[in-house]
Amino acid sequence: MKNKFKIATYNIWKDCGKFPQRIHQMPEFLKKLDCICLQEDFESDAFCSSDTINEVLQLEKTTLSIRKKKRNGIVSSSNLTILSKVKPNNIQQLIFDENKEDERGTLIVEITYHEKKILIVNTHLTNIDQKKRIEHIYQIKNTLDKKTADLIILCGDMNSVPNSKEVQCIKRHGFIDYNNNPTYEKGLTLDYILSKSNFPIQVKSKIIIQNLSDHHCLQNKFVW
């Protein structure tokens, strides 16, 4: 019997657009997933996007709170969040340029799924500075090099197109990109689910949500 693991990455656009109505529409499209990596997960004292989504999905939630500042008159953070059917064995958080104007981070969880050790990595790289993006990629790589896993899945908004130095750097370290579809406005691809495995896998990639954020929701299905 084949094992299947469905994971999505989705930048949910903080409190922009038709907010919070569009957040309430998202769970319907995410119900069949085993794991979801969210970027720009808005959280204030009054509202949290991932909590709203997870009221329907009822998954295990892990969050890295970053980029706290005033948005539209309300103090909020723009979090990295992982929702998973499987409870994590281990969690690690990386914060880049902590407490600075363009604070960023990476959230890493380890799960065991059908006897395979899987590392799920969720990140959102800066949109301002290519040098910083490459620097942060190497910090992520150096952290992952100290870990062992059967499958590593690197998800997120890289703010980089497929032929960029940033994405090519990730690929040179063994990660494969299976997506051929735009994930952002104007036909751009900025969001990725990259992976490397020590066992044979089949991967199918597709867009599952297009109109509830400025980014599209990208899904990969891993089969082995």
Side-chain angles (χ1 to χ4, degrees):
M1 180 178 177
K2 290 186 176 181
N3 299 306
K4 299 177 183 179
F5 184 76
K6 290 184 180 180
I7 185 169
T9 187
Y10 199 14
N11 181 322
I12 54 175
W13 203 23
K14 301 186 292 289
D15 58 342
C16 302
K18 294 181 179 179
F19 181 87
Q21 296 91 333
R22 60 187 183 79
I23 303 298
H24 288 280
Q25 295 175 265
M26 291 178 182
E28 183 63 30
F29 299 92
L30 303 172
K31 286 181 177 179
K32 295 182 180 180
L33 296 167
D34 299 295
C35 186
I36 308 153
C37 292
L38 302 175
Q39 304 89 41
E40 295 193 9
D41 172 20
F42 176 90
E43 182 177 19
S44 69
D45 289 341
F47 187 86
C48 176
S49 294
S50 59
D51 280 350
T52 300
I53 292 168
N54 208 31
E55 283 176 9
V56 177
L57 302 182
Q58 294 292 298
L59 302 175
E60 298 284 342
K61 175 181 168 178
T62 309
T63 293
L64 171 58
S65 180
I66 53 173
R67 305 178 70 199
K68 192 170 186 178
K69 61 183 178 181
K70 189 172 282 188
R71 298 178 176 86
N72 297 322
I74 298 171
V75 175
S76 68
S77 55
S78 179
N79 299 342
L80 291 167
T81 296
I82 296 175
L83 302 176
S84 174
K85 284 185 178 179
V86 180
K87 186 175 181 178
N89 302 321
N90 291 292
I91 299 166
Q92 185 170 0
Q93 301 176 342
L94 306 177
I95 299 180
F96 311 131
D97 300 319
E98 189 168 8
N99 297 322
K100 294 183 180 179
E101 178 64 24
D102 196 34
E103 178 182 82
R104 298 286 169 159
T106 298
L107 179 61
I108 304 170
V109 302
E110 175 197 310
I111 65 170
T112 302
Y113 185 81
H114 292 288
E115 300 182 349
K116 298 296 185 184
K117 184 177 177 180
I118 302 176
L119 290 180
I120 299 164
V121 186
N122 184 17
T123 194
H124 185 189
L125 302 181
T126 177
N127 62 319
I128 296 172
D129 187 336
Q130 183 184 57
K131 185 178 178 181
K132 282 287 185 184
R133 288 195 292 271
I134 293 174
E135 178 184 316
H136 296 161
I137 286 168
Y138 274 99
Q139 289 183 55
I140 296 167
K141 174 195 173 295
N142 291 339
T143 298
L144 295 176
D145 283 348
K146 298 172 186 176
K147 301 178 181 293
T148 60
D150 298 302
L151 173 64
I152 303 176
I153 305 174
L154 173 56
C155 299
D157 177 358
M158 307 298 179
N159 275 307
S160 310
V161 295
N163 64 352
S164 66
K165 291 181 179 179
E166 301 92 304
V167 175
Q168 293 306 309
C169 175
I170 296 170
K171 289 182 176 180
R172 281 198 305 273
H173 291 99
F175 286 89
I176 299 172
D177 177 18
Y178 294 89
N179 175 48
N180 295 311
N181 298 298
T183 67
Y184 188 65
E185 300 169 335
K186 299 179 181 178
L188 292 174
T189 299
L190 301 179
D191 309 84
Y192 298 86
I193 303 176
L194 299 124
S195 59
K196 62 178 178 179
S197 170
N198 66 9
F199 62 99
I201 55 173
Q202 294 178 313
V203 184
K204 291 185 178 180
S205 187
K206 67 178 181 179
I207 301 297
I208 59 173
I209 311 175
Q210 284 189 309
N211 57 359
L212 297 180
S213 171
D214 59 339
H215 290 252
H216 305 331
C217 183
L218 174 66
Q219 173 196 293
N220 273 19
K221 180 172 74 171
F222 294 84
V223 180
W224 67 90

